[in-house]
Amino acid sequence: MPLNRREFVLMSAGAAALQITGPGSSAFAMKSPAGADDLPSLTLAEASRRIHAHEVTSVALTQALLDRISIYNPKVNAFITVLHEEALSQAAALDAEAKSGKFRSALHGIPIVLKDNIDTAGIRTTAASEVFDDRFPDDDAEVVVHLKAAGAVILGKANMHEFAAGGSSASTYFGPVRNPWALDHIPAGSSGGSAAAVISDLAYGALGTDTGGSVRMPASYCSIVGLKPTYGLVSIRGIVPLTYSLDHCGPMTKTVEDAALMLNHMVGYDKHDVASIDVAKEDYVESMKQPVSGLRLGIPRAPFYDLLDEEVAKAVEAAIQVLTKMVKSVKECHLPGTSGFNALSLTGEREAYHIDLMRKNSMRYSLGVKQSFESAEKKMNDISDEPCSEKIVDYVTSQWKLILMRKNINDAFTDFDLVVLPTMRILPRTVNDALEREEEVKPREPEVISNCTPFNIFGLPAISVPCGFSASGLPIGLMIAGPRLSEGKVLALAAAYEKATQWHTRRPTLTPDMVVPPVKRKV
């Protein structure tokens, strides 16, 4: 039976204070070639090659990860549900196919984890909320159907920010997700568990969802690769929505090649998903190999380079210098603003999903998420004296603006092919600081700590790749984005940068005796 993580997490939450020295105390280790006893450290591509060469079985890979999960998940709290028996059974069936010479795809026998807002038939899908503590969907999400058909093994469901309604992964019914580089810090969110699982070598790849940066932000803070594809390229049917018009689903992996391998088996037209787009099939692994020497890079300084942490700015500028040597040109550029688009008006999509749930289960939402929902609704009601009719008008006009922006955004990429910018503007906060901010009753001034949301509004492909570390050992990410359906170019530049640097080879040093710091909340 799937393992219920909630009881264990709650038991662990009262652990003694963190004993390591500073946020970077776990420092990092260079990834070494994996032997028979170090299977979890393989990349997805390496694991795939070994399976296809009959050097390792899916059962061996799955068991190695399950063993590691049992040791380190209590530290990082990346999983809500672990599918021990189911994963091993699925792996055994795929090994039988491989033994007879049948391989479904490059993902055949590869264990991955799914964010827990992605439906899985007969397997609990909670969206990290008490509201859905006993929710068992009847069907797999469309993207899960694709991955299973490709032979991926589902290890379990990843912890996340409740209902994907925040960027810390601290507000969750199952206890905060910890950043493996520093357990007292957040991994960002909302796909924090997916990112923590990948960088901790608890899975070879993961699925995350991204409404305002929730794949790329935790990828940046955990030093992995996170790709948000073009809006509609990957079906979002069967995924618990946050804001449907901005929701995306993308792969989270150790390397760019791994992300391309996963994306190959995630895309596909879904006539039952109103967001889905029908495009010609593309091999993203092959597209990733295209030369980058002819690419023209744009650097959108304003507003994306404003108010950067000093160490973030230094790391990103160093990354630009690396890229400058491998592309045709680099120039400062400007992207269209999104200030004329009222994203707040789309909260009606959130209300449409949650209105009945909130009425029946108000006290089962976490404090931070409940306040976030109520605050957004109040702001919309304050806009006019006739909240219902005005909200409808605002929603419709915002949809028109959204459609027009997405139809015309490729026109911005006339003098440059791709843009490069920091993924996050600041370094990770502590878990306690994040919770204090999210549970603060008094409204706070809006903050811009990431550069991700405009690319959700435009619906453009964007990837975050590791580009450095702070002096205290906290990861820094670089974002590369391009026009609609330019995944191949985005992946190619990301892969070229990855090949020219070593940031992606570093791993946090986790030990079984690491002490989980306590969660401190105001009484």
Side-chain angles (χ1 to χ4, degrees), residues 94-399:
L94 290 163
D95 281 339
E97 292 181 14
K99 190 174 182 180
S100 65
K102 178 184 177 182
F103 292 97
R104 300 187 187 188
S105 77
L107 297 187
H108 188 102
I110 301 297
I112 63 171
V113 62
L114 309 176
K115 187 175 178 179
D116 202 35
N117 60 344
I118 301 173
D119 282 355
T120 39
I123 296 170
R124 189 174 64 149
T125 302
T126 70
S129 178
E130 183 183 6
V131 177
F132 282 168
D133 193 26
D134 57 354
R135 178 176 178 268
F136 290 79
D138 294 327
D139 302 300
D140 285 329
E142 182 69 6
V143 68
V144 178
V145 173
H146 284 293
L147 289 169
K148 282 185 175 179
V153 174
I154 310 303
L155 271 178
K157 308 300 289 291
N159 202 354
M160 55 179 282
H161 203 107
E162 183 179 356
F163 283 119
S168 71
S169 297
S171 292
T172 153
Y173 179 55
F174 299 92
V177 183
R178 305 287 181 164
N179 191 320
W181 295 94
L183 297 185
D184 58 340
H185 283 63
I186 62 169
S190 60
S191 309
S194 296
V198 170
I199 196 60
S200 299
D201 290 336
L202 307 183
Y204 296 115
L207 287 195
T209 62
D210 193 313
T211 305
S214 292
V215 162
R216 292 156 291 156
M217 294 193 301
S220 176
Y221 275 4
C222 290
S223 198
I224 65 167
V225 174
L227 171 65
K228 182 196 78 65
T230 298
Y231 183 74
L233 188 62
V234 175
S235 173
I236 53 176
R237 181 165 61 95
I239 297 176
V240 177
L242 180 60
T243 304
Y244 194 87
S245 296
L246 305 177
D247 290 346
H248 301 65
C249 179
M252 304 177 72
T253 58
K254 297 175 184 177
T255 68
V256 176
E257 181 185 12
D258 291 354
L261 283 168
M262 286 191 69
L263 186 63
N264 269 349
H265 302 285
M266 294 171 61
V267 302
Y269 178 63
D270 179 5
K271 67 179 181 180
H272 300 294
D273 176 9
V274 298
S276 186
I277 56 176
D278 192 3
V279 298
K281 185 175 177 59
E282 181 177 353
D283 185 337
Y284 296 104
V285 176
E286 287 303 311
S287 296
M288 179 195 73
K289 299 174 183 177
Q290 64 184 279
V292 300
S293 56
L295 291 178
R296 302 163 302 164
L297 295 193
I299 310 297
R301 293 286 176 186
F304 300 104
Y305 285 71
D306 295 342
L307 303 176
L308 296 185
D309 178 277
E310 184 177 342
E311 291 183 285
V312 172
K314 183 178 179 180
V316 171
E317 293 300 333
I320 292 172
Q321 292 304 309
V322 172
L323 292 169
T324 299
K325 298 175 182 178
M326 59 180 66
V327 299
K328 180 179 181 180
S329 63
V330 177
K331 61 175 290 186
E332 294 198 11
C333 71
H334 175 70
L335 287 177
T338 58
S339 58
F341 171 70
N342 182 13
L344 186 64
S345 65
L346 296 185
T347 57
E349 295 183 356
R350 184 185 302 181
E351 289 181 38
Y353 186 84
H354 285 276
I355 187 167
D356 286 337
L357 289 172
M358 285 287 285
R359 286 171 178 168
K360 298 174 183 177
N361 303 278
S362 176
M363 300 308 295
R364 300 180 74 187
Y365 283 77
S366 69
L367 178 59
V369 171
K370 181 181 178 182
Q371 290 180 171
S372 173
F373 284 3
E374 290 175 344
S375 174
E377 184 176 7
K378 182 179 185 301
K379 288 178 182 177
M380 277 303 298
N381 287 341
D382 287 346
I383 290 175
S384 75
D385 295 329
E386 301 178 80
C388 290
S389 61
E390 291 295 329
K391 283 166 68 176
I392 292 171
V393 171
D394 286 339
Y395 177 75
V396 172
T397 55
S398 291
Q399 279 292 333

